[in-house]
Amino acid sequence: MLINNKSKYTQFIKSEAQRLGFLSCGISKAGFLEEEAPRLENWLNKNHQGQMYYMENNFDKRLNPTLLVDDAKSVVSLLLNYYPSELQNQDSYKISKYAFGQDYHSVIKIKLNELLSSIQDTIGQISGRAFVDSAPVLDKAWAAKSGLGWIGKNSNLLTQKVGSFYFIAELIIDLELDYDFATTDHCGTCTACIDACPTEAIVAPYVVDGSKCISYFTIELKENLPIEMKGKFDDWAFGCDICQDVCPWNKFSKPHNEPLFNPNAELLSMSKKDWEEITEETFKVVFKNSPLKRTKFEGLKRNIDFLKP
């Protein structure tokens, strides 16, 4: 067991995060996100959430982790790289790079639980919870507050060293630690993401209307796709990476080293014809344990039919 020393605890947690394959780890004092409150309220008031009604729930918990974990002292933010070593065939309907491999929720949850167990084994009776994009936690805000990057004009977390192709996760624990400081914004005068978005979802620098985003249409929207969007999806069948692909900081992206994020070989070679003729059986094999299960076979077929000329 480590002696009672904040700096040693902090150093131990960060070295364990690195051992488990996380790209980076930053830590913030748990408390109310004062600056985020009016932004979130304004975003919801403008209905930028579309039919993502879950965004309207747990408003207070989204802004205050002490309401999620009793006696929470620290938010440990972690990044896990998912940038692939190989991309899809050029003549293909496109899916977001984060969905190439197995569902990240389960992959990251295992790592987070191992990190929490390691903290408990080494430091003592520490209580906490692991969060991976499935609870009311403002992941990007906490990651930025913890110095892991800055929120870019496309509303993604950006870093100078590795761009933005990574997942964000948190451990919220009842242990006081040394806290990191926010970094500075390095978007400058660049508007590449705003200019490139085919549905004009980035309605202002740093503000994304979620209800206009291709990811929203192809994943979240359960009804028919709006006819006025026909021809604007740039062949994206699940998610969209356009605002990340054009970001100059992503030229520094390096391939991940997580085997569970490696795609089924068939995925990379699929042509548009293959996508159009995909059967439910093939879907279940190629996308077993994949994030694509979220949209289901019927949803994927709907998206592909919409993309056809």
Side-chain angles (χ1 to χ4, degrees), residues 171-184:
L171 273 186
I172 298 177
I173 54 177
D174 64 349
L175 175 68
E176 206 169 307
L177 297 163
D178 287 338
Y179 300 124
D180 295 299
F181 300 97
T183 185
T184 48

Side-chain angles (χ1 to χ4, degrees), residues 20-21 80-82 101 107-108 111 255-263:
L20 289 165
L80 188 66
N81 185 15
Y82 66 78
V107 175
I108 299 175
K111 290 180 185 289
H256 66 77
N257 53 14
E258 173 51 69
L260 294 174
F261 291 158
N262 290 336

Side-chain angles (χ1 to χ4, degrees), residues 112 114 119 122 129 150 198 267:
L112 287 178
E114 190 175 336
I119 292 168
T122 305
R129 282 179 66 188
W150 72 95
L267 164 66

Side-chain angles (χ1 to χ4, degrees), residues 3 13 31 35 90 155 158 196 218 266:
I3 59 167
I13 289 169
E35 288 180 25
Q90 291 275 309
S155 88
L158 305 179
T218 56
E266 204 172 325

Side-chain angles (χ1 to χ4, degrees), residues 229-291:
M229 288 294 159
K230 182 82 176 166
K232 292 187 176 180
F233 283 11
D234 194 30
D235 287 337
W236 288 95
F238 182 92
C240 177
D241 288 338
I242 292 173
C243 68
Q244 295 192 83
D245 286 336
V246 300
C247 177
W249 293 112
N250 274 319
K251 64 177 179 239
F252 299 111
S253 298
K254 295 178 179 68
H256 66 77
N257 53 14
E258 173 51 69
L260 294 174
F261 291 158
N262 290 336
N264 182 307
E266 204 172 325
L267 164 66
L268 298 181
S269 62
M270 283 174 73
S271 66
K272 283 185 177 176
K273 191 169 186 295
D274 294 328
W275 282 101
E276 288 165 9
E277 295 176 354
I278 192 170
T279 63
E280 191 156 7
E281 289 69 33
T282 304
F283 176 82
K284 283 177 179 172
V285 172
V286 177
F287 301 113
K288 186 184 178 186
N289 302 323
S290 155

Side-chain angles (χ1 to χ4, degrees), residues 41 45 57 59 64 69 122 125 127-128 134 137 168-169 171 174 186 193 211 215 219 232 261 276 281 290 292:
E41 190 171 19
N45 286 341
N57 303 332
F59 184 82
N64 192 348
V69 175
T122 305
Q125 286 192 318
S127 292
S134 56
V137 178
I168 308 173
L171 273 186
D174 64 349
H186 295 279
C193 58
S211 72
S215 289
I219 302 171
K232 292 187 176 180
F261 291 158
E276 288 165 9
E281 289 69 33
S290 155
L292 265 81

Side-chain angles (χ1 to χ4, degrees), residues 39-288:
R39 284 184 204 148
L40 178 58
E41 190 171 19
N42 190 41
W43 190 81
L44 290 168
N45 286 341
K46 290 185 173 176
N47 294 316
H48 288 340
Q49 73 277 25
Q51 290 184 16
M52 296 182 286
Y53 301 123
Y54 59 84
M55 291 296 299
E56 300 162 31
N57 303 332
N58 302 303
F59 184 82
D60 293 338
K61 286 182 180 177
R62 282 183 198 281
L63 296 163
N64 192 348
T66 64
L67 300 176
L68 291 167
V69 175
D70 290 340
D71 204 28
K73 298 282 195 302
S74 302
V75 179
V76 180
S77 293
L78 302 128
L79 305 182
L80 188 66
N81 185 15
Y82 66 78
Y83 190 75
S85 55
E86 288 183 86
L87 300 177
Q88 286 178 271
N89 172 16
Q90 291 275 309
D91 171 40
S92 177
Y93 292 118
K94 296 176 274 193
I95 68 169
S96 274
K97 297 173 190 65
Y98 83 82
F100 277 19
Q102 288 193 24
D103 192 328
Y104 63 95
H105 293 92
S106 52
V107 175
I108 299 175
K109 209 63 178 275
I110 291 167
K111 290 180 185 289
L112 287 178
N113 287 332
E114 190 175 336
L115 178 58
L116 184 56
S117 294
S118 186
I119 292 168
Q120 290 165 337
D121 292 344
T122 305
I123 297 174
Q125 286 192 318
I126 307 303
S127 292
R129 282 179 66 188
F131 296 92
V132 190
D133 188 30
S134 56
V137 178
L138 293 178
D139 307 273
K140 291 181 282 191
W142 283 110
K145 194 175 171 69
S146 303
L148 297 183
W150 72 95
I151 307 290
K153 290 178 184 175
N154 59 4
S155 88
N156 285 320
L157 186 81
L158 305 179
T159 69
Q160 286 178 289
K161 290 182 179 175
V162 288
S164 63
F165 287 108
Y166 40 70
F167 300 113
I168 308 173
E170 298 81 30
L171 273 186
I172 298 177
I173 54 177
D174 64 349
L175 175 68
E176 206 169 307
L177 297 163
D178 287 338
Y179 300 124
D180 295 299
F181 300 97
T183 185
T184 48
D185 185 314
H186 295 279
C187 283
T189 57
C190 179
T191 57
C193 58
I194 299 170
D195 301 337
C197 179
T199 57
E200 299 179 349
I202 308 173
V203 292
Y206 311 100
V207 181
V208 173
D209 182 344
S211 72
K212 290 182 176 178
C213 180
I214 294 172
S215 289
Y216 167 78
F217 289 125
T218 56
I219 302 171
E220 301 284 351
L221 190 67
K222 303 309 174 198
E223 57 195 42
N224 290 336
L225 296 168
I227 197 69
E228 64 269 21
M229 288 294 159
K230 182 82 176 166
K232 292 187 176 180
F233 283 11
D234 194 30
D235 287 337
W236 288 95
F238 182 92
C240 177
D241 288 338
I242 292 173
C243 68
Q244 295 192 83
D245 286 336
V246 300
C247 177
W249 293 112
N250 274 319
K251 64 177 179 239
F252 299 111
S253 298
K254 295 178 179 68
H256 66 77
N257 53 14
E258 173 51 69
L260 294 174
F261 291 158
N262 290 336
N264 182 307
E266 204 172 325
L267 164 66
L268 298 181
S269 62
M270 283 174 73
S271 66
K272 283 185 177 176
K273 191 169 186 295
D274 294 328
W275 282 101
E276 288 165 9
E277 295 176 354
I278 192 170
T279 63
E280 191 156 7
E281 289 69 33
T282 304
F283 176 82
K284 283 177 179 172
V285 172
V286 177
F287 301 113
K288 186 184 178 186

